[in-house]
Amino acid sequence: MAEGRKGCWWYDGLLCKQGSECDMTMVSDANIGEALFRLECQNLYDTAARLDAKSKQAVREARFNEWRELFSGQVDIDVWNMAVDLAVRHCKGWPSLSEMCDFVDSAMKKQETVIAEKRKQLEAAEDAGKKVIKVNVKAILEAARAGELKKYKVNQVTPEVIAFSKKRWPDADLEFVESNAFAIVSVMKQEAVCSKCMDPRYCKTNGYKNVGRIDKHSGILYGHMVPCPAKG
């Protein structure tokens, strides 16, 4: 914590119980305190600066409470930081609530554009990395007639599938994996997609994910969609 922040009424006491600043996706009270401190350091024209110490503190408290009520827990931290940057660059005087809302809106639009562009880049990279498999349909049909189709069967039970199954379902044995290989691979693919998610607003499955569920009677694994925790 910077030395200049110590003793600031809005910063003291706004630390996490663990003793460090809150590491949250959404804006916290501490983030708002930091923004107020940063703006005060910009030498903005501020009528409150002419007040005595007691009156100045009252103005600070009012500003902090207004911003906390409006923004705390409601705005993404990256969007908030961009909004504060805009306020620092464009404001000659202390920003009003209306101005801060405009800065937040502008930052949110910019963030959405950045996220959409990153998603396009990831999808393009994934498409470029996909292998093109040429299928000899005529040979498969001839093999089917001759009863030799097994040699064309794709083996889904790879070491990766077995390792994923044991981690996800500790009691799973090889028979379970072999019987449910395709369903397991489907869950694995869902996990791979979700691991690259940057914002649930751009989710291809509208904020839901396939976690798979085992039927307690038959022991068969089937697809089961549940809301993503990041969706909120």
Side-chain angles (χ1 to χ4, degrees):
M1 180 168 62
E3 289 296 325
R5 295 176 186 162
K6 292 180 179 179
C8 294
W9 72 270
W10 65 81
Y11 197 86
D12 293 343
L14 293 179
L15 300 181
C16 290
K17 294 180 180 179
Q18 292 82 358
S20 60
E21 291 177 285
C22 298
D23 181 15
M24 298 175 63
T25 301
M26 308 303 286
V27 172
S28 66
D29 291 357
N31 299 135
I32 292 175
E34 287 180 325
L36 291 170
F37 177 80
R38 182 182 175 191
L39 287 169
E40 279 205 3
C41 291
Q42 299 305 309
N43 296 319
L44 301 175
Y45 174 74
D46 186 4
T47 54
R50 302 178 182 180
L51 301 174
D52 57 76
K54 185 175 180 180
S55 300
K56 187 184 296 185
Q57 180 172 326
V59 173
R60 285 172 171 168
E61 290 176 354
R63 286 172 175 169
F64 175 79
N65 290 331
E66 287 178 342
W67 285 24
R68 179 174 61 180
E69 182 178 355
L70 192 60
F71 302 119
S72 185
Q74 304 297 321
V75 181
D76 178 84
I77 184 61
D78 293 331
V79 171
W80 174 253
N81 288 334
M82 282 193 286
V84 175
D85 288 340
L86 290 172
V88 169
R89 289 200 300 269
H90 297 291
C91 289
K92 295 181 179 179
W94 191 267
S96 65
L97 279 178
S98 177
E99 287 175 319
M100 279 307 298
C101 287
D102 289 340
F103 291 141
V104 169
D105 287 341
S106 298
M108 190 174 295
K109 291 177 182 177
K110 182 178 179 181
Q111 181 76 344
E112 288 176 351
T113 301
V114 171
I115 291 174
E117 183 60 31
K118 286 184 178 180
R119 177 170 289 280
K120 286 182 181 179
Q121 293 174 0
L122 286 173
E123 290 177 349
E126 288 178 356
D127 291 339
K130 289 179 180 178
K131 295 180 179 179
V132 178
I133 302 175
K134 295 182 179 180
V135 179
N136 190 333
V137 178
K138 184 178 179 180
I140 293 176
L141 291 175
E142 290 177 352
R145 294 190 188 100
E148 299 176 355
L149 191 60
K150 287 185 178 180
K151 68 179 181 180
Y152 288 97
K153 185 178 180 180
V154 178
N155 183 17
Q156 294 279 348
V157 183
T158 62
E160 292 78 12
V161 171
I162 295 174
F164 178 84
S165 302
K166 293 298 293 183
K167 182 178 179 181
R168 193 63 176 270
W169 303 283
D171 296 331
D173 54 18
L174 185 58
E175 182 181 356
F176 171 83
V177 177
E178 291 176 342
S179 301
N180 299 279
F182 285 97
I184 294 171
V185 171
S186 178
V187 177
M188 286 179 65
K189 290 180 178 179
Q190 178 76 75
E191 291 289 338
V193 171
C194 291
S195 68
K196 299 176 183 178
C197 177
M198 293 177 290
D199 193 314
R201 290 175 293 179
Y202 301 96
C203 178
K204 291 183 177 180
T205 51
N206 298 318
Y208 286 82
K209 60 184 296 187
N210 178 18
V211 297
R213 175 174 287 182
I214 301 174
D215 184 87
K216 62 181 181 180
H217 299 294
S218 64
I220 296 175
L221 177 68
Y222 62 92
H224 180 67
M225 303 296 287
V226 299
C228 174
K231 185 178 180 181

Coordinates of all heavy atoms in Angstrom, one line a residue, residues 72-162:
S72 N -20.3 0.3 -6.1 CA -19.7 -0.9 -5.4 C -20.5 -2.2 -5.7 O -21.7 -2.2 -5.5 CB -19.7 -0.6 -3.9 OG -19.0 -1.6 -3.2
G73 N -19.8 -3.2 -6.2 CA -20.4 -4.5 -6.5 C -21.2 -4.5 -7.7 O -21.9 -5.5 -8.1
Q74 N -21.3 -3.4 -8.5 CA -22.1 -3.3 -9.7 C -21.3 -3.2 -11.0 O -21.9 -3.4 -12.0 CB -23.0 -2.0 -9.6 CG -23.9 -2.0 -8.3 CD -24.9 -3.2 -8.3 OE1 -25.4 -3.6 -9.3 NE2 -25.0 -3.7 -7.1
V75 N -20.0 -2.8 -10.9 CA -19.2 -2.5 -12.1 C -18.0 -3.4 -12.1 O -17.4 -3.6 -11.0 CB -18.8 -1.0 -12.1 CG1 -18.0 -0.8 -13.4 CG2 -20.0 -0.1 -12.0
D76 N -17.7 -4.0 -13.2 CA -16.5 -4.8 -13.4 C -15.2 -4.0 -13.1 O -15.2 -2.8 -13.5 CB -16.4 -5.4 -14.8 CG -15.2 -6.2 -15.0 OD1 -15.2 -7.4 -14.7 OD2 -14.2 -5.6 -15.6
I77 N -14.3 -4.6 -12.4 CA -13.1 -3.8 -11.9 C -12.3 -3.2 -13.1 O -11.8 -2.1 -13.0 CB -12.2 -4.7 -11.0 CG1 -11.0 -3.8 -10.5 CG2 -11.7 -5.9 -11.8 CD1 -11.4 -2.7 -9.6
D78 N -12.2 -4.0 -14.2 CA -11.4 -3.4 -15.4 C -12.2 -2.3 -16.0 O -11.5 -1.3 -16.4 CB -11.3 -4.5 -16.4 CG -10.3 -5.6 -15.9 OD1 -9.4 -5.3 -15.1 OD2 -10.5 -6.8 -16.4
V79 N -13.5 -2.4 -16.1 CA -14.3 -1.2 -16.6 C -14.2 0.0 -15.7 O -14.0 1.1 -16.1 CB -15.8 -1.7 -16.7 CG1 -16.7 -0.5 -17.0 CG2 -16.0 -2.7 -17.7
W80 N -14.2 -0.3 -14.4 CA -14.0 0.8 -13.4 C -12.7 1.6 -13.5 O -12.6 2.8 -13.6 CB -14.2 0.3 -12.0 CG -14.0 1.3 -10.9 CD1 -12.9 1.4 -10.1 CD2 -14.8 2.4 -10.6 NE1 -13.0 2.5 -9.2 CE2 -14.2 3.1 -9.5 CE3 -16.1 2.9 -11.0 CZ2 -14.8 4.3 -8.9 CZ3 -16.6 4.0 -10.5 CH2 -16.0 4.7 -9.4
N81 N -11.6 0.8 -13.7 CA -10.3 1.4 -13.8 C -10.2 2.3 -15.1 O -9.6 3.3 -15.1 CB -9.2 0.3 -13.8 CG -9.0 -0.3 -12.4 OD1 -9.3 0.3 -11.4 ND2 -8.6 -1.5 -12.4
M82 N -10.8 1.8 -16.1 CA -10.8 2.6 -17.4 C -11.7 3.8 -17.2 O -11.3 4.9 -17.7 CB -11.4 1.7 -18.5 CG -10.4 0.7 -19.1 SD -10.9 0.0 -20.7 CE -12.2 -1.1 -20.1
A83 N -12.8 3.7 -16.5 CA -13.6 4.9 -16.2 C -12.9 5.9 -15.4 O -13.0 7.1 -15.7 CB -14.9 4.5 -15.5
V84 N -12.1 5.5 -14.4 CA -11.4 6.5 -13.6 C -10.3 7.1 -14.5 O -10.0 8.3 -14.3 CB -10.7 5.7 -12.4 CG1 -9.8 6.7 -11.6 CG2 -11.8 5.2 -11.5
D85 N -9.7 6.3 -15.4 CA -8.7 6.9 -16.3 C -9.3 8.0 -17.1 O -8.7 9.1 -17.4 CB -8.1 5.8 -17.2 CG -7.2 4.9 -16.5 OD1 -6.7 5.2 -15.4 OD2 -6.9 3.7 -17.0
L86 N -10.5 7.8 -17.6 CA -11.2 8.8 -18.4 C -11.5 10.0 -17.6 O -11.3 11.1 -18.1 CB -12.5 8.2 -19.0 CG -12.4 7.1 -20.0 CD1 -13.8 6.5 -20.3 CD2 -11.8 7.7 -21.3
A87 N -11.9 9.8 -16.4 CA -12.1 11.0 -15.5 C -10.9 11.8 -15.3 O -10.9 13.0 -15.3 CB -12.7 10.5 -14.1
V88 N -9.8 11.1 -15.1 CA -8.5 11.8 -14.8 C -8.1 12.6 -16.1 O -7.6 13.7 -16.0 CB -7.4 10.8 -14.5 CG1 -6.0 11.4 -14.5 CG2 -7.7 10.2 -13.1
R89 N -8.3 12.0 -17.2 CA -7.9 12.7 -18.5 C -8.8 13.8 -18.9 O -8.3 14.8 -19.5 CB -7.8 11.7 -19.6 CG -6.7 10.7 -19.5 CD -6.4 10.0 -20.8 NE -7.5 9.3 -21.4 CZ -7.8 8.0 -21.2 NH1 -6.9 7.3 -20.4 NH2 -8.8 7.5 -21.7
H90 N -10.1 13.7 -18.7 CA -11.0 14.7 -19.2 C -11.6 15.7 -18.3 O -12.1 16.7 -18.7 CB -12.2 13.9 -19.9 CG -11.7 13.0 -21.0 ND1 -11.3 13.5 -22.2 CD2 -11.7 11.7 -21.2 CE1 -11.0 12.5 -23.1 NE2 -11.2 11.4 -22.4
C91 N -11.5 15.4 -17.0 CA -12.2 16.4 -16.0 C -11.2 17.5 -15.6 O -10.1 17.2 -15.2 CB -12.7 15.6 -14.8 SG -14.1 14.6 -15.2
K92 N -11.7 18.7 -15.7 CA -10.9 19.8 -15.1 C -11.4 20.1 -13.7 O -10.6 20.7 -12.9 CB -11.1 21.1 -16.0 CG -10.6 20.9 -17.4 CD -10.8 22.2 -18.2 CE -10.2 22.0 -19.6 NZ -10.4 23.2 -20.4
G93 N -12.6 19.7 -13.4 CA -13.1 19.9 -12.0 C -13.5 18.5 -11.5 O -13.4 17.5 -12.2
W94 N -14.0 18.5 -10.3 CA -14.4 17.2 -9.7 C -15.6 16.6 -10.5 O -16.6 17.3 -10.7 CB -14.8 17.4 -8.2 CG -14.9 16.1 -7.5 CD1 -16.1 15.3 -7.4 CD2 -13.9 15.3 -7.0 NE1 -15.8 14.1 -6.8 CE2 -14.4 14.1 -6.5 CE3 -12.5 15.5 -6.8 CZ2 -13.7 13.1 -5.9 CZ3 -11.8 14.5 -6.2 CH2 -12.3 13.3 -5.7
P95 N -15.5 15.3 -10.9 CA -16.6 14.7 -11.7 C -17.8 14.5 -10.9 O -17.8 14.1 -9.8 CB -15.9 13.4 -12.1 CG -14.9 13.1 -11.1 CD -14.4 14.4 -10.7
S96 N -18.9 14.9 -11.6 CA -20.2 14.6 -10.9 C -20.6 13.2 -11.1 O -20.0 12.4 -11.8 CB -21.3 15.5 -11.6 OG -21.5 15.2 -13.0
L97 N -21.7 12.8 -10.4 CA -22.2 11.4 -10.5 C -22.6 11.1 -12.0 O -22.3 10.0 -12.5 CB -23.4 11.2 -9.6 CG -23.1 10.9 -8.2 CD1 -24.4 10.7 -7.4 CD2 -22.3 9.6 -8.0
S98 N -23.2 12.1 -12.6 CA -23.6 11.9 -14.0 C -22.4 11.7 -14.9 O -22.4 10.8 -15.8 CB -24.4 13.1 -14.5 OG -24.8 13.0 -15.8
E99 N -21.4 12.5 -14.7 CA -20.2 12.3 -15.5 C -19.5 11.0 -15.3 O -19.1 10.3 -16.2 CB -19.2 13.4 -15.2 CG -19.6 14.8 -15.7 CD -18.7 15.9 -15.3 OE1 -18.2 15.9 -14.1 OE2 -18.3 16.8 -16.1
M100 N -19.5 10.5 -14.0 CA -18.9 9.2 -13.8 C -19.7 8.1 -14.4 O -19.1 7.1 -14.9 CB -18.8 9.0 -12.3 CG -17.6 9.6 -11.6 SD -16.0 9.2 -12.4 CE -15.9 7.5 -12.2
C101 N -21.0 8.2 -14.4 CA -21.8 7.2 -15.1 C -21.5 7.2 -16.6 O -21.5 6.1 -17.2 CB -23.3 7.5 -14.9 SG -23.9 7.2 -13.2
D102 N -21.3 8.4 -17.2 CA -21.0 8.4 -18.6 C -19.6 7.8 -18.9 O -19.5 7.0 -19.9 CB -21.0 9.9 -19.1 CG -22.3 10.5 -19.2 OD1 -23.3 9.7 -19.2 OD2 -22.5 11.7 -19.2
F103 N -18.7 8.0 -18.0 CA -17.4 7.4 -18.1 C -17.4 5.9 -18.0 O -16.8 5.2 -18.7 CB -16.4 8.0 -17.1 CG -16.0 9.4 -17.3 CD1 -15.9 10.3 -16.2 CD2 -15.8 9.9 -18.6 CE1 -15.6 11.6 -16.4 CE2 -15.5 11.2 -18.8 CZ -15.3 12.1 -17.7
V104 N -18.3 5.4 -17.1 CA -18.4 3.9 -16.9 C -19.1 3.3 -18.1 O -18.7 2.3 -18.6 CB -19.3 3.6 -15.6 CG1 -19.7 2.2 -15.6 CG2 -18.5 4.0 -14.4
D105 N -20.1 4.0 -18.7 CA -20.7 3.5 -19.9 C -19.7 3.4 -21.1 O -19.7 2.5 -21.8 CB -21.9 4.4 -20.3 CG -23.1 4.3 -19.4 OD1 -23.2 3.2 -18.7 OD2 -23.9 5.2 -19.4
S106 N -18.9 4.5 -21.2 CA -17.9 4.5 -22.3 C -16.9 3.4 -22.1 O -16.5 2.7 -23.1 CB -17.2 5.9 -22.3 OG -18.1 6.9 -22.6
A107 N -16.5 3.2 -20.9 CA -15.5 2.1 -20.6 C -16.1 0.8 -20.8 O -15.4 -0.1 -21.3 CB -15.0 2.3 -19.1
M108 N -17.4 0.6 -20.5 CA -18.0 -0.7 -20.7 C -18.1 -1.1 -22.2 O -17.9 -2.2 -22.6 CB -19.4 -0.7 -20.1 CG -20.1 -2.0 -20.0 SD -21.7 -2.0 -19.1 CE -21.1 -1.5 -17.4
K109 N -18.4 -0.1 -23.0 CA -18.5 -0.3 -24.4 C -17.2 -0.7 -25.0 O -17.0 -1.6 -25.8 CB -19.1 0.9 -25.1 CG -20.5 1.2 -24.8 CD -21.0 2.5 -25.5 CE -22.4 2.8 -25.1 NZ -22.9 4.1 -25.7
K110 N -16.1 0.0 -24.5 CA -14.8 -0.3 -25.0 C -14.4 -1.7 -24.5 O -13.8 -2.5 -25.3 CB -13.8 0.7 -24.4 CG -12.4 0.5 -24.9 CD -11.4 1.6 -24.3 CE -10.0 1.3 -24.8 NZ -9.1 2.4 -24.3
Q111 N -14.7 -2.1 -23.3 CA -14.4 -3.4 -22.8 C -15.1 -4.5 -23.6 O -14.5 -5.6 -23.9 CB -14.7 -3.5 -21.3 CG -14.4 -4.9 -20.6 CD -13.0 -5.0 -20.3 OE1 -12.1 -4.3 -20.9 NE2 -12.6 -6.0 -19.5
E112 N -16.3 -4.3 -23.9 CA -17.1 -5.3 -24.7 C -16.5 -5.5 -26.1 O -16.4 -6.6 -26.6 CB -18.6 -4.8 -24.8 CG -19.3 -4.9 -23.5 CD -20.8 -4.4 -23.7 OE1 -21.0 -3.8 -24.7 OE2 -21.6 -4.6 -22.7
T113 N -16.0 -4.4 -26.7 CA -15.3 -4.5 -28.0 C -14.0 -5.3 -27.8 O -13.7 -6.2 -28.7 CB -15.0 -3.1 -28.5 OG1 -16.2 -2.3 -28.6 CG2 -14.3 -3.2 -29.9
V114 N -13.3 -5.1 -26.8 CA -12.0 -5.8 -26.6 C -12.3 -7.3 -26.4 O -11.6 -8.1 -26.9 CB -11.3 -5.2 -25.4 CG1 -10.1 -6.1 -25.0 CG2 -10.8 -3.8 -25.6
I115 N -13.3 -7.6 -25.5 CA -13.6 -9.0 -25.3 C -14.1 -9.7 -26.5 O -13.7 -10.8 -26.8 CB -14.7 -9.1 -24.2 CG1 -14.1 -8.6 -22.8 CG2 -15.2 -10.5 -24.1 CD1 -15.1 -8.5 -21.7
A116 N -14.9 -9.0 -27.3 CA -15.4 -9.6 -28.6 C -14.2 -9.9 -29.5 O -14.2 -11.0 -30.2 CB -16.4 -8.7 -29.2
E117 N -13.3 -9.0 -29.6 CA -12.1 -9.2 -30.5 C -11.2 -10.3 -30.0 O -10.8 -11.1 -30.8 CB -11.3 -7.9 -30.5 CG -10.1 -7.9 -31.5 CD -10.5 -8.2 -32.9 OE1 -11.7 -7.7 -33.3 OE2 -9.7 -8.8 -33.6
K118 N -11.0 -10.4 -28.7 CA -10.2 -11.5 -28.1 C -10.9 -12.9 -28.4 O -10.2 -13.8 -28.7 CB -10.0 -11.3 -26.6 CG -9.0 -10.2 -26.3 CD -8.8 -10.1 -24.8 CE -7.7 -9.0 -24.5 NZ -7.5 -8.9 -23.0
R119 N -12.2 -12.9 -28.3 CA -12.9 -14.1 -28.6 C -12.8 -14.6 -30.0 O -12.6 -15.7 -30.3 CB -14.4 -14.0 -28.2 CG -15.2 -15.2 -28.5 CD -16.6 -15.2 -27.9 NE -16.6 -15.3 -26.5 CZ -16.5 -16.4 -25.8 NH1 -16.4 -17.6 -26.5 NH2 -16.5 -16.5 -24.5
K120 N -12.8 -13.6 -30.9 CA -12.7 -13.9 -32.3 C -11.3 -14.5 -32.6 O -11.1 -15.4 -33.4 CB -12.9 -12.6 -33.2 CG -14.3 -12.2 -33.3 CD -14.4 -10.9 -34.2 CE -15.9 -10.5 -34.3 NZ -16.0 -9.2 -35.1
Q121 N -10.3 -13.9 -31.9 CA -8.9 -14.3 -32.1 C -8.7 -15.8 -31.6 O -8.1 -16.6 -32.2 CB -7.9 -13.4 -31.4 CG -7.8 -12.0 -32.0 CD -7.0 -11.1 -31.2 OE1 -6.4 -11.4 -30.1 NE2 -6.9 -9.8 -31.6
L122 N -9.3 -16.1 -30.4 CA -9.3 -17.4 -29.9 C -10.0 -18.4 -30.8 O -9.4 -19.5 -31.0 CB -9.9 -17.4 -28.5 CG -9.1 -16.8 -27.3 CD1 -9.9 -16.8 -26.1 CD2 -7.8 -17.6 -27.1
E123 N -11.1 -18.1 -31.3 CA -11.9 -19.0 -32.1 C -11.1 -19.2 -33.4 O -11.1 -20.3 -34.0 CB -13.3 -18.4 -32.4 CG -14.2 -18.4 -31.2 CD -15.5 -17.8 -31.5 OE1 -15.7 -17.1 -32.6 OE2 -16.4 -17.9 -30.7
A124 N -10.5 -18.1 -34.0 CA -9.7 -18.3 -35.2 C -8.5 -19.2 -35.0 O -8.2 -20.0 -35.8 CB -9.2 -16.9 -35.7
A125 N -7.9 -19.1 -33.8 CA -6.7 -19.9 -33.5 C -7.2 -21.4 -33.3 O -6.5 -22.3 -33.8 CB -6.0 -19.4 -32.2
E126 N -8.3 -21.6 -32.7 CA -8.8 -22.9 -32.5 C -9.2 -23.6 -33.9 O -8.9 -24.7 -34.1 CB -10.1 -22.9 -31.7 CG -9.8 -22.6 -30.2 CD -11.0 -22.6 -29.4 OE1 -12.1 -22.7 -29.9 OE2 -10.9 -22.4 -28.1
D127 N -9.8 -22.8 -34.8 CA -10.2 -23.3 -36.1 C -8.9 -23.6 -36.9 O -8.9 -24.6 -37.6 CB -11.0 -22.3 -36.9 CG -12.4 -22.1 -36.2 OD1 -12.8 -23.0 -35.5 OD2 -13.0 -21.0 -36.5
A128 N -7.9 -22.8 -36.8 CA -6.6 -23.0 -37.5 C -5.9 -24.3 -37.0 O -5.2 -24.9 -37.8 CB -5.7 -21.8 -37.4
G129 N -6.1 -24.6 -35.7 CA -5.5 -25.8 -35.1 C -6.2 -27.1 -35.3 O -5.7 -28.2 -35.0
K130 N -7.4 -27.0 -35.8 CA -8.2 -28.2 -36.0 C -7.7 -29.0 -37.2 O -7.3 -28.5 -38.2 CB -9.7 -27.9 -36.3 CG -10.4 -27.4 -35.0 CD -11.8 -27.1 -35.3 CE -12.5 -26.5 -34.1 NZ -13.9 -26.2 -34.4
K131 N -7.6 -30.3 -37.0 CA -7.1 -31.2 -38.1 C -8.2 -31.6 -39.0 O -9.3 -31.9 -38.5 CB -6.5 -32.5 -37.5 CG -5.2 -32.2 -36.7 CD -4.6 -33.5 -36.1 CE -3.4 -33.3 -35.3 NZ -2.8 -34.5 -34.8
V132 N -8.0 -31.6 -40.3 CA -9.0 -32.0 -41.3 C -8.8 -33.5 -41.5 O -7.8 -34.0 -41.9 CB -8.8 -31.2 -42.6 CG1 -9.8 -31.7 -43.6 CG2 -8.9 -29.7 -42.4
I133 N -9.9 -34.2 -41.2 CA -9.9 -35.7 -41.3 C -10.6 -36.1 -42.6 O -11.8 -35.8 -42.7 CB -10.5 -36.4 -40.1 CG1 -9.8 -35.9 -38.8 CG2 -10.5 -37.9 -40.2 CD1 -10.4 -36.4 -37.5
K134 N -9.9 -36.7 -43.5 CA -10.5 -37.2 -44.7 C -11.1 -38.6 -44.5 O -10.4 -39.5 -44.0 CB -9.4 -37.2 -45.8 CG -8.9 -35.9 -46.2 CD -7.9 -36.0 -47.3 CE -7.3 -34.6 -47.7 NZ -6.3 -34.6 -48.8
V135 N -12.3 -38.7 -44.8 CA -13.0 -40.0 -44.6 C -13.3 -40.6 -46.0 O -13.9 -40.0 -46.9 CB -14.4 -39.7 -43.9 CG1 -15.1 -41.0 -43.7 CG2 -14.1 -39.0 -42.5
N136 N -12.9 -41.8 -46.1 CA -13.1 -42.6 -47.3 C -14.5 -43.3 -47.1 O -14.5 -44.4 -46.6 CB -12.0 -43.6 -47.5 CG -12.1 -44.3 -48.9 OD1 -13.2 -44.4 -49.4 ND2 -11.0 -44.7 -49.4
V137 N -15.5 -42.7 -47.5 CA -16.9 -43.2 -47.3 C -17.0 -44.6 -48.0 O -17.7 -45.5 -47.5 CB -17.9 -42.2 -47.8 CG1 -19.3 -42.8 -47.6 CG2 -17.8 -40.9 -47.0
K138 N -16.5 -44.7 -49.2 CA -16.7 -45.9 -50.0 C -16.0 -47.1 -49.3 O -16.6 -48.2 -49.2 CB -16.0 -45.7 -51.4 CG -16.2 -46.9 -52.3 CD -15.6 -46.7 -53.6 CE -15.7 -47.9 -54.6 NZ -15.1 -47.6 -55.9
A139 N -14.8 -46.9 -48.7 CA -14.1 -47.9 -48.0 C -14.9 -48.3 -46.7 O -14.9 -49.5 -46.4 CB -12.7 -47.5 -47.6
I140 N -15.5 -47.4 -46.1 CA -16.3 -47.7 -44.8 C -17.5 -48.5 -45.2 O -17.8 -49.5 -44.5 CB -16.7 -46.4 -44.1 CG1 -15.4 -45.7 -43.6 CG2 -17.6 -46.7 -43.0 CD1 -15.7 -44.3 -42.9
L141 N -18.2 -48.1 -46.3 CA -19.3 -48.9 -46.7 C -19.0 -50.3 -47.1 O -19.7 -51.3 -46.7 CB -20.0 -48.2 -47.8 CG -20.7 -46.9 -47.5 CD1 -21.2 -46.2 -48.8 CD2 -21.8 -47.1 -46.5
E142 N -17.9 -50.5 -47.8 CA -17.4 -51.8 -48.2 C -17.1 -52.6 -46.9 O -17.3 -53.8 -46.9 CB -16.2 -51.7 -49.1 CG -16.6 -51.2 -50.5 CD -15.4 -51.0 -51.4 OE1 -14.3 -51.2 -50.9 OE2 -15.6 -50.7 -52.6
A143 N -16.4 -52.0 -46.0 CA -16.0 -52.7 -44.7 C -17.3 -53.1 -43.9 O -17.3 -54.2 -43.3 CB -15.1 -51.8 -43.9
A144 N -18.3 -52.3 -44.0 CA -19.5 -52.6 -43.3 C -20.2 -53.8 -43.9 O -20.7 -54.7 -43.2 CB -20.5 -51.4 -43.3
R145 N -20.2 -53.9 -45.2 CA -20.8 -55.1 -45.9 C -20.0 -56.3 -45.6 O -20.6 -57.4 -45.5 CB -20.8 -54.8 -47.4 CG -21.7 -53.7 -47.8 CD -21.9 -53.6 -49.3 NE -22.6 -52.5 -49.8 CZ -22.0 -51.4 -50.3 NH1 -20.7 -51.3 -50.4 NH2 -22.7 -50.3 -50.6
A146 N -18.7 -56.2 -45.4 CA -17.8 -57.3 -45.1 C -17.7 -57.7 -43.7 O -17.0 -58.6 -43.3 CB -16.4 -57.1 -45.7
G147 N -18.4 -56.9 -42.8 CA -18.3 -57.1 -41.4 C -17.0 -56.7 -40.8 O -16.6 -57.2 -39.7
E148 N -16.3 -55.8 -41.4 CA -15.0 -55.3 -40.9 C -15.0 -53.9 -40.5 O -14.0 -53.2 -40.5 CB -13.9 -55.5 -42.0 CG -13.8 -57.0 -42.4 CD -12.8 -57.2 -43.5 OE1 -12.3 -56.1 -44.0 OE2 -12.5 -58.3 -43.9
L149 N -16.1 -53.4 -40.0 CA -16.3 -52.0 -39.7 C -15.5 -51.6 -38.4 O -15.1 -50.4 -38.2 CB -17.8 -51.6 -39.5 CG -18.1 -50.1 -39.4 CD1 -17.7 -49.4 -40.6 CD2 -19.6 -49.9 -39.1
K150 N -15.1 -52.6 -37.6 CA -14.4 -52.3 -36.3 C -13.1 -51.6 -36.6 O -12.7 -50.8 -35.7 CB -14.2 -53.6 -35.5 CG -15.5 -54.1 -34.9 CD -15.1 -55.3 -34.0 CE -16.4 -55.8 -33.3 NZ -16.1 -57.0 -32.5
K151 N -12.4 -51.8 -37.7 CA -11.1 -51.2 -37.9 C -11.3 -49.7 -38.2 O -10.3 -49.0 -38.1 CB -10.4 -51.9 -39.0 CG -11.0 -51.7 -40.4 CD -10.2 -52.4 -41.5 CE -10.8 -52.2 -42.9 NZ -9.9 -52.9 -43.9
Y152 N -12.5 -49.2 -38.5 CA -12.7 -47.8 -38.7 C -13.2 -47.1 -37.4 O -13.5 -45.9 -37.5 CB -13.7 -47.6 -39.8 CG -13.1 -47.9 -41.2 CD1 -13.3 -49.1 -41.8 CD2 -12.3 -47.0 -41.8 CE1 -12.7 -49.5 -43.0 CE2 -11.7 -47.3 -43.1 CZ -11.9 -48.5 -43.6 OH -11.4 -48.8 -44.9
K153 N -13.5 -47.9 -36.4 CA -14.0 -47.3 -35.2 C -12.9 -46.4 -34.5 O -11.8 -46.8 -34.3 CB -14.5 -48.4 -34.2 CG -15.2 -47.8 -33.0 CD -15.7 -49.0 -32.1 CE -16.3 -48.4 -30.9 NZ -16.8 -49.5 -30.0
V154 N -13.3 -45.2 -34.1 CA -12.4 -44.3 -33.4 C -12.4 -44.6 -32.0 O -13.4 -44.7 -31.3 CB -12.9 -42.8 -33.6 CG1 -11.9 -41.9 -32.8 CG2 -12.9 -42.4 -35.1
N155 N -11.2 -44.8 -31.5 CA -11.0 -45.2 -30.0 C -11.0 -43.9 -29.2 O -10.1 -43.1 -29.2 CB -9.7 -45.9 -29.9 CG -9.5 -46.4 -28.4 OD1 -10.5 -46.4 -27.6 ND2 -8.3 -46.7 -28.0
Q156 N -12.1 -43.7 -28.5 CA -12.2 -42.5 -27.6 C -11.5 -42.6 -26.3 O -11.4 -41.6 -25.6 CB -13.7 -42.2 -27.4 CG -14.5 -41.8 -28.7 CD -14.2 -40.4 -29.1 OE1 -13.7 -39.6 -28.3 NE2 -14.6 -40.0 -30.3
V157 N -11.2 -43.8 -25.9 CA -10.6 -44.1 -24.6 C -9.1 -43.8 -24.6 O -8.3 -44.8 -24.8 CB -10.9 -45.5 -24.1 CG1 -10.4 -45.7 -22.6 CG2 -12.4 -45.8 -24.1
T158 N -8.7 -42.6 -24.5 CA -7.3 -42.2 -24.5 C -6.9 -42.0 -23.1 O -7.7 -41.9 -22.1 CB -7.1 -40.9 -25.3 OG1 -7.9 -39.8 -24.6 CG2 -7.6 -41.0 -26.7
P159 N -5.5 -41.9 -22.8 CA -5.1 -41.6 -21.5 C -5.6 -40.3 -20.9 O -5.9 -40.3 -19.7 CB -3.5 -41.5 -21.6 CG -3.3 -42.4 -22.8 CD -4.4 -42.2 -23.7
E160 N -5.8 -39.3 -21.7 CA -6.4 -38.1 -21.3 C -7.8 -38.3 -20.8 O -8.2 -37.7 -19.8 CB -6.4 -37.0 -22.4 CG -5.0 -36.5 -22.8 CD -4.3 -37.5 -23.7 OE1 -4.9 -38.5 -24.2 OE2 -3.1 -37.3 -23.9
V161 N -8.6 -39.1 -21.5 CA -10.0 -39.3 -21.1 C -10.1 -40.1 -19.8 O -10.9 -39.8 -18.9 CB -10.7 -40.1 -22.2 CG1 -12.1 -40.6 -21.8 CG2 -10.9 -39.3 -23.5
I162 N -9.2 -41.1 -19.7 CA -9.1 -41.9 -18.4 C -8.8 -41.0 -17.2 O -9.4 -41.0 -16.2 CB -8.1 -43.0 -18.6 CG1 -8.6 -44.0 -19.6 CG2 -8.0 -43.7 -17.2 CD1 -7.7 -45.1 -19.9

